[in-house]
């Protein structure tokens, strides 16, 4: 049995007892990928949950994707013949490139988790008025999270409209001039804490950091705001919309910088094209990821306590012998520490970790 | 039914029932009045307000609207329909600013715009806002007060949004059959198509960056591009060596085209020799459509054949699922494998 067959057999066994059950399955287009490629074929359609489950057990793709869109005829080609009926709103957040490379480290995974939380708690809920039951969040299976919003109000948004939403959360197009006005005495009047959108965010976040005496915003404003009375004076001013209660040097530049700290910072963390593409194929929640052997598992219990390298590990722990083909750093999985391993090392490890290494092209069945 | 209201806003359901009640039939005279209404709209881009408020005059106003749209439906030409819709929306908008709050609310209900009054401002659910805002820089969501799914707009902006919704309403023709007898009169409206067909302008657009291609496509489909988009498009085309005359020809497809204004703007741009905005600026205008990673649209050609080509390739490899750009023989085989497998399992 070669490595590819080994992983495929593990996947097939897993699908016998755990079937991904996408909502409105019969209205979605499906795509599959093999060991080498994430999408080898698309335009597939399953008439029932049973058909999908059977397919997964018998043919076991390494990657299973479905359309964010709902179609009348999901398998029709070319695209216009499918008759688009609407699409979920998707946000795809991936950990940024880092020295950890393909073995995504805990730090990167934590960072992207924080960014996902920020997107939900600072934007989607307060600004767009979504409620917790409106989202489904799942681990992407590799290095990030997918957010699916299925609320009736957004299903028919066009590409351009979705793009505008992404531009909003990344702060694209923010015009400093529309946030502040300067009166004839060069005094700056600005947003109130009660304002909506970036206006209120700016006022509230500035006040909160001034109260703590620390944070990115306080750093930008300068040392003299680390302590009351200056901080308190500015806070009192901002509450009334007066951003000039204390003298600030280079204020326009500084306020501009502060605005930038409020956005979902690294714009490539939210892949803008995924959200805007209304015919995008995306990993099916609760399917297995052929690039990691991890499960694109639903984050049900709450994302703050979620740890992918433990909660998304679903393959069995049976011991397997593998040979390392490239150096592997120390990795913690399911509360057990593995490695580091040098090239050509022969190791006996649980099947889930063996599958992880094989999917990462770092080991082969020994 | 308030007949004056119906005549001012002939796209409303009230207007439709007023027309039915009046018993007016789509006879030759009615069709002729529709033809005249469409001719004025298409040739001048504007429509006059109601001149006489006699009952019968009001009813014929509504009838002329209905028959103009029937003629447009017979042609089903996107350019003519959009240009007509722009003129109707402008006409309606001229009434809106002096309209009573009660009537404005009635219209919003009709247009499915759920504005809520909030002090001196209004709040609109964001999907409706996204759909019907005029897409200029001032309306970008980033600079808006939005909270709980509602976007705040001023009374003036509310009217602008209503105008856009009216344009969309008028431009959306019903899915209905038109009697063949209407065709000869309808065909006469084809005269108002832009004389120079777009195809006569030589465009090697394959090397244009996605943003520019997108604007050209939208223009070709007679969409109303926002000012910033038209401006950048003209600057780009001027810089790529196109003559002002050719560029003016392109804009003939815009539904609100006015030759004088376009000529003035394009020639002014040429004379000023404006630099092409950078990608960051394009993005802030809301007209960047792809992340192609060149600093400016004018660098696209170079990037596409150099570093950029490389970058996209690796991107595709590591990227999330997407459409394969070009199928290789291996992919074809693999696809067949899955298709066979699937047909067995169903």
């Amino acid at each position: 049995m070669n490595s590819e067959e080994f992983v495929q057999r593990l996947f097939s066994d897993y699908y016998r007892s755990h079937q991904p059950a996408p909502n409105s399955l019969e209205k979605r287009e499906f795509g599959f990928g093999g060991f080498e490629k994430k999408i080898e074929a698309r335009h597939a359609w399953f008439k029932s949950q049973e058909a999908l489950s059977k397919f997964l057990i018998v043919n076991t793709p390494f990657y299973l994707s479905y359309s964010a869109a709902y179609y009348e005829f999901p398998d029709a080609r070319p695209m216009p013949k499918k008759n688009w009926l609407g699409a979920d709103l998707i946000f795809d957040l991936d950990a940024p490139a880092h020295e950890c490379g393909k073995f995504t480290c805990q730090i990167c995974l934590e960072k992207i988790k924080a960014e996902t939380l920020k997107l939900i708690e600072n934007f989607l809920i307060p600004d767009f008025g979504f409620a917790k039951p409106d989202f489904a969040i799942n681990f992407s299976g590799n290095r990030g999270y997918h957010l699916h919003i299925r609320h009736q109000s957004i299903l028919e948004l066009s590409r351009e409209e979705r793009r505008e939403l992404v531009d909003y959360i990344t702060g694209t197009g923010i015009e400093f001039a529309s946030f502040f006005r300067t009166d004839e005495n060069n005094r700056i009047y600005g947003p109130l804490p009660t304002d909506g959108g970036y206006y209120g965010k700016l006022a509230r976040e500035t006040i909160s950091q001034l109260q703590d005496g620390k944070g990115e915003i306080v750093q930008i404003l300068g040392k003299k705001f680390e302590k009351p009375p200056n901080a308190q004076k500015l806070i009192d001013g901002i509450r009334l919309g007066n951003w000039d209660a204390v003298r600030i040097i280079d204020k326009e530049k500084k306020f501009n910088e502060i605005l930038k700290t409020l956005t979902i910072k690294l714009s490539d963390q939210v892949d803008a094209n995924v959200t805007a593409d209304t015919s995008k194929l995306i990993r099916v929640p609760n399917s297995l990821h052929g690039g990691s052997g991890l499960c694109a598992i639903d984050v049900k219990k709450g994302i703050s306590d979620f740890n992918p390298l433990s909660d998304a590990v679903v393959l069995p722990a049976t011991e397997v012998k593998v040979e390392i083909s490239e150096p592997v750093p120390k990795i913690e999985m399911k509360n057990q520490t593995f490695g580091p391993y040098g090239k050509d090392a022969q190791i006996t490890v649980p099947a889930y970790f063996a599958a992880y290494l094989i999917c990462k092209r770092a080991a082969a069945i020994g | 039914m308030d007949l004056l209201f119906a005549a001012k806003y002939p796209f409303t359901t009230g207007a439709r029932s007023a027309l039915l009640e009046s018993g007016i039939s789509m006879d030759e005279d009615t069709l002729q009045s529709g033809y005249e209404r469409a001719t004025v709209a298409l040739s001048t881009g504007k429509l006059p307000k109601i001149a006489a408020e006699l009952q019968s005059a009001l009813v014929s106003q509504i009838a002329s609207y209905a028959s103009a749209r029937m003629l447009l439906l017979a042609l089903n030409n996107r350019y003519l329909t959009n240009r007509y819709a722009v003129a109707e929306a402008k006409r309606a908008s001229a009434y809106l600013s002096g309209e009573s709050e009660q009537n404005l609310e009635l219209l919003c209900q009709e247009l499915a715009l759920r504005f809520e009054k909030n002090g001196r401002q209004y709040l609109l659910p964001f999907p409706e806002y996204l759909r019907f805002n005029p897409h200029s820089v001032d309306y970008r969501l980033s600079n808006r007060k939005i909270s709980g799914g509602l976007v705040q707009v001023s009374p003036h902006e509310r009217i602008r949004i209503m105008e856009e919704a009216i344009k969309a309403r008028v431009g959306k023709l019903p899915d209905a059959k038109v009697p063949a007898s209407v065709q000869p009169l309808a065909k006469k409206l084809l005269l108002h198509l832009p004389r120079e067909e777009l195809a006569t302008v030589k465009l090697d657009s394959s090397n244009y960056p996605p943003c520019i291609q997108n604007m050209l496509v939208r223009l070709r489909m007679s969409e109303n591009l926002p000012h910033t988009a038209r401006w950048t498009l003209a600057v780009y085309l001027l810089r790529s060596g196109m003559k002002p005359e050719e560029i003016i020809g392109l804009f003939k497809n815009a539904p609100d085209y006015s030759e004088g204004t376009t000529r003035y703007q394009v020639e002014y741009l040429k004379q000023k020799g404006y630099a092409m905005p950078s990608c960051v600026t394009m993005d802030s205008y809301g007209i960047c459509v792809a992340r192609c990673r060149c600093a400016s649209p004018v660098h696209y050609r170079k990037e596409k054949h150099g570093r950029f080509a490389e970058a996209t390739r690796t991107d595709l490899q590591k990227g999330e699922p997407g459409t394969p750009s070009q199928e290789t023989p291996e992919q074809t085989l693999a696809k067949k494998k899955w298709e066979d497998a699937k047909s067995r399992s169903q």
Side-chain angles (χ1 to χ4, degrees), chain A residues 40 45 126-127 167 172 197 199, chain B residues 140 142-143 146 148-149 338 342:
Chain A
E40 280 181 339
W45 170 72
D127 294 352
D167 282 352
T172 309
Y199 295 81
Chain B
R140 296 229 56 191
S142 299
N143 298 314
I146 167 169
W338 289 116
K342 229 192 111 279

Side-chain angles (χ1 to χ4, degrees), chain A residues 96-356:
Chain A
H98 176 245
E99 59 190 21
C100 59
K102 62 182 173 186
F103 301 101
T104 315
C105 67
Q106 273 305 343
I107 300 168
C108 286
L109 288 170
E110 283 301 320
K111 263 193 196 158
I112 198 65
K113 192 164 88 179
E115 210 64 11
T116 309
L117 267 169
K118 182 172 166 188
L119 173 63
I120 297 172
E121 286 172 2
N122 292 6
F123 289 86
L124 298 175
I125 293 177
D127 294 352
F128 294 104
F130 293 116
K132 287 235 160 93
D134 297 330
F135 327 107
I137 309 167
N138 64 282
F139 177 54
S140 74
N142 198 10
R143 47 191 298 127
Y145 293 89
H146 293 164
L147 222 93
H148 306 243
I149 303 179
R150 308 204 170 103
H151 195 271
Q152 191 63 33
S153 66
I154 52 78
L155 293 181
E156 288 185 34
L157 292 181
S158 70
R159 288 179 90 95
E160 288 76 19
E161 288 155 14
R162 284 164 203 254
R163 183 54 190 253
E164 186 68 13
L165 288 181
V166 181
D167 282 352
Y168 176 77
I169 62 166
T170 55
T172 309
I174 287 189
E175 294 267 337
F176 179 77
S178 65
F179 282 73
F180 295 98
R181 48 197 169 83
T182 312
D183 69 8
E184 60 274 16
N185 301 321
N186 211 22
R187 239 174 239 288
I188 295 190
Y189 284 88
L192 293 164
T194 47
D195 284 341
Y198 279 109
Y199 295 81
K201 278 188 218 306
L202 177 65
R204 288 190 301 268
E205 194 54 34
T206 306
I207 290 176
S208 141
Q209 291 195 21
L210 283 170
Q211 279 168 341
D212 296 348
K214 57 175 195 277
E216 237 174 323
I217 296 178
V218 176
Q219 250 174 37
I220 295 170
L221 285 174
K223 267 205 158 7
K224 74 174 180 188
F225 290 99
E226 279 170 19
K227 291 194 186 84
N230 277 332
Q232 194 52 48
K233 218 168 147 192
L234 187 57
I235 291 172
D236 294 341
I238 293 174
R239 286 198 172 126
L240 300 169
N242 173 12
W243 287 70
D244 234 0
V246 184
R247 206 170 101 86
I248 301 167
I249 304 158
D250 258 349
K251 48 195 168 194
E252 182 161 337
K253 194 173 139 239
K254 283 180 180 164
F255 288 146
N256 237 332
E257 257 178 77
I258 292 173
L259 268 174
K260 284 193 193 115
T261 68
L262 302 170
T263 62
I264 297 285
K265 258 164 277 170
L266 297 159
S267 61
D268 47 331
Q269 280 189 352
V270 175
D271 190 333
N273 296 332
V274 172
T275 306
D277 189 345
T278 50
S279 51
K280 185 81 188 169
L281 294 187
I282 187 142
R283 190 88 42 248
V284 173
N286 296 319
S287 69
L288 294 166
H289 191 294
S292 65
L294 299 175
C295 183
I297 201 159
D298 254 337
V299 181
K300 280 203 187 109
K301 65 174 182 185
I303 185 169
S304 13
D305 301 325
F306 185 79
N307 174 13
L309 291 184
S310 160
D311 298 326
V313 179
V314 297
L315 295 177
T318 345
E319 301 257 290
V320 186
K321 230 178 171 178
V322 293
E323 186 179 319
I324 300 292
S325 57
E326 68 170 72
V328 173
K330 195 169 93 175
I331 294 166
E332 196 165 310
M333 201 178 261
K334 261 199 158 173
N335 301 322
Q336 194 181 338
T337 310
F338 300 96
Y341 304 113
K343 191 175 180 310
D344 300 329
Q346 305 265 351
I347 53 170
T348 302
V349 291
Y352 60 77
F353 188 65
Y356 178 77

Side-chain angles (χ1 to χ4, degrees), chain B residues 5-307:
Chain B
F5 181 84
K8 286 198 276 190
Y9 311 111
F11 46 84
T12 52
T13 39
R16 203 177 309 152
S17 34
L19 192 59
L20 285 175
E21 275 167 35
S22 76
I24 273 195
S25 65
M26 275 295 159
D27 59 10
E28 214 168 297
D29 286 349
T30 314
L31 272 180
Q32 184 61 32
S33 71
Y35 172 74
E36 278 157 22
R37 187 174 182 122
T39 303
V40 174
L42 296 175
S43 59
T44 65
K46 285 184 266 193
L47 277 167
K49 284 191 175 185
I50 299 163
E53 295 194 4
L54 288 171
Q55 292 272 318
S56 59
L58 294 178
V59 174
S60 0
Q61 274 271 343
I62 306 170
S64 69
Y65 169 83
S67 54
R69 278 179 90 238
M70 189 195 262
L71 293 169
L72 288 165
L73 180 59
L75 295 172
N76 209 5
N77 177 294
R78 209 166 354 196
Y79 170 83
L80 295 177
T81 309
N82 287 355
R83 187 167 166 84
Y84 178 75
V86 169
E88 284 287 356
K90 275 191 195 156
R91 173 184 175 277
S93 176
Y95 286 117
L96 292 179
S97 33
E99 197 55 272
S100 70
E101 181 56 31
Q102 195 191 351
N103 278 352
L104 288 177
E105 273 170 24
L106 214 63
L107 268 174
C108 285
Q109 232 173 54
E110 181 80 37
L111 297 165
L113 289 171
R114 291 168 297 164
F115 284 105
E116 267 172 44
K117 192 133 173 59
N118 181 37
R120 266 181 286 168
Q121 308 283 312
Y122 292 88
L123 301 174
L124 183 65
F126 78 91
E128 289 154 41
Y129 178 85
L130 288 176
R131 178 118 189 256
F132 294 119
N133 82 71
H135 300 293
S136 63
V137 179
D138 300 343
Y139 287 85
R140 296 229 56 191
L141 208 51
S142 299
N143 298 314
R144 287 277 145 183
K145 292 181 180 163
I146 167 169
S147 180
L150 301 170
V151 186
Q152 186 178 308
V153 300
S154 70
H156 168 73
E157 290 167 336
R158 175 186 184 221
I159 286 179
R160 269 300 275 125
I161 290 169
M162 289 173 73
E163 185 184 331
E164 290 298 316
I166 293 170
K167 198 195 294 174
R169 161 77 61 104
V170 176
K172 195 172 184 296
L173 295 173
D175 202 4
K177 281 239 156 61
V178 182
S181 57
V182 173
Q183 282 294 346
L185 195 58
K187 288 231 166 81
K188 279 164 72 181
L189 290 175
L190 290 174
L191 192 80
H192 300 288
L193 280 177
R195 247 168 253 137
E196 278 166 68
E197 275 298 314
L198 220 100
T200 61
V201 183
K202 276 181 226 108
L203 282 182
D204 177 21
S205 56
S206 61
N207 278 333
Y208 288 164
C211 49
I212 300 293
Q213 292 204 23
N214 176 276
M215 288 185 235
L216 285 171
V217 169
R218 288 171 64 192
L219 201 55
R220 211 167 277 158
M221 302 207 293
S222 297
E223 256 185 63
N224 223 353
L225 290 182
H227 174 73
T228 38
R230 296 177 197 217
W231 186 89
T232 8
L233 179 61
V235 170
Y236 182 88
L237 295 174
L238 281 169
R239 292 187 69 91
S240 70
M242 200 182 269
K243 296 204 180 70
E245 208 53 44
E246 294 173 309
I247 297 172
I248 294 166
L250 279 176
F251 281 105
K252 284 197 175 146
N253 262 28
D256 58 353
Y257 174 73
S258 137
E259 173 155 357
T261 317
T262 312
R263 182 174 302 280
Y264 172 80
Q265 299 267 10
V266 172
E267 273 163 10
Y268 184 76
L269 286 186
K270 187 174 163 71
Q271 181 201 336
K272 283 276 177 184
Y274 281 115
M276 188 67 196
S278 67
C279 290
V280 176
T281 315
M282 298 281 286
D283 210 359
S284 71
Y285 289 163
I287 46 183
C288 168
V289 295
R291 294 271 188 251
C292 41
R293 271 170 229 197
C294 28
S296 152
V298 286
H299 294 155
Y300 179 80
R301 226 175 293 200
K302 196 169 78 202
E303 298 275 321
K304 188 178 157 196
H305 299 300
R307 181 169 57 83

